[in-house]
Amino acid sequence: MTRDEPRNEIHATVSQVSGGQVAIGGTVSQTSTTVGSSAPSATDLDDLMRQFEALRHEVLADPDTPDAAADKLDELKDAVTAEKPELSTMEYVRDWFVKHAPKFVGAVTALVVNPVVGALVGAAGEALAAEFKRRFQV
């Protein structure tokens, strides 16, 4: 950086955070997920499925992404929509993307912590909802 180039500086003060997350940066995006006890609507589920398909399309179109990535997304979709959502599979798939397709980790994580997923998990019971919150810090 030369003396005449603008500097990108970020300064922040955070106080009295009583739960939740704080992210500070130039291109930060956050999603807040509430784990509820009622099942999502059919419209919400359709929207979630469209998000899965859109990401699957992006993954398949990317020449640098392993072929197995699309299969992992299918596993994630199955885990999310199971009668009792499979948290270990959700965690495994996210971690797989961290190792093998880091370009898509943000999008995969956004699917995992999607409010509709929170509703699906919450509808499966309090114990599962508590474990979901612990594993994914939502």
Side-chain angles (χ1 to χ4, degrees):
M1 182 167 80
T2 67
R3 179 170 236 160
D4 296 331
E5 289 180 43
R7 292 175 47 181
N8 291 329
E9 292 185 29
I10 298 171
H11 300 272
T13 302
V14 179
S15 60
Q16 296 185 358
V17 176
S18 60
Q21 300 175 3
V22 175
I24 300 165
T27 57
V28 174
S29 176
Q30 285 188 278
T31 300
S32 176
T33 300
T34 302
V35 181
S37 60
S38 61
S41 70
T43 302
D44 290 338
L45 286 172
D46 288 345
D47 183 51
L48 181 63
M49 293 305 107
R50 279 191 293 278
Q51 290 175 45
F52 268 102
E53 287 308 310
L55 181 54
R56 190 174 200 284
H57 180 73
E58 285 182 53
V59 163
L60 288 171
D62 185 56
D64 298 327
T65 302
D67 293 340
D71 293 336
K72 296 299 177 195
L73 286 176
D74 292 341
E75 284 183 56
L76 180 60
K77 182 169 63 171
D78 291 345
V80 162
T81 58
E83 187 174 331
K84 180 180 176 187
E86 300 164 5
L87 303 183
S88 60
T89 302
M90 293 162 66
E91 193 171 40
Y92 162 77
V93 170
R94 182 205 53 203
D95 292 348
W96 185 92
F97 273 88
V98 167
K99 292 177 185 172
H100 302 285
K103 178 179 183 176
F104 294 104
V105 170
V108 169
T109 301
L111 284 172
V112 170
V113 300
N114 185 296
V116 177
V117 175
L120 289 167
V121 171
E126 288 182 31
L128 193 66
E131 181 62 14
F132 178 80
K133 288 178 185 179
R134 186 191 70 74
R135 286 186 190 208
F136 300 105
Q137 299 180 7
V138 293

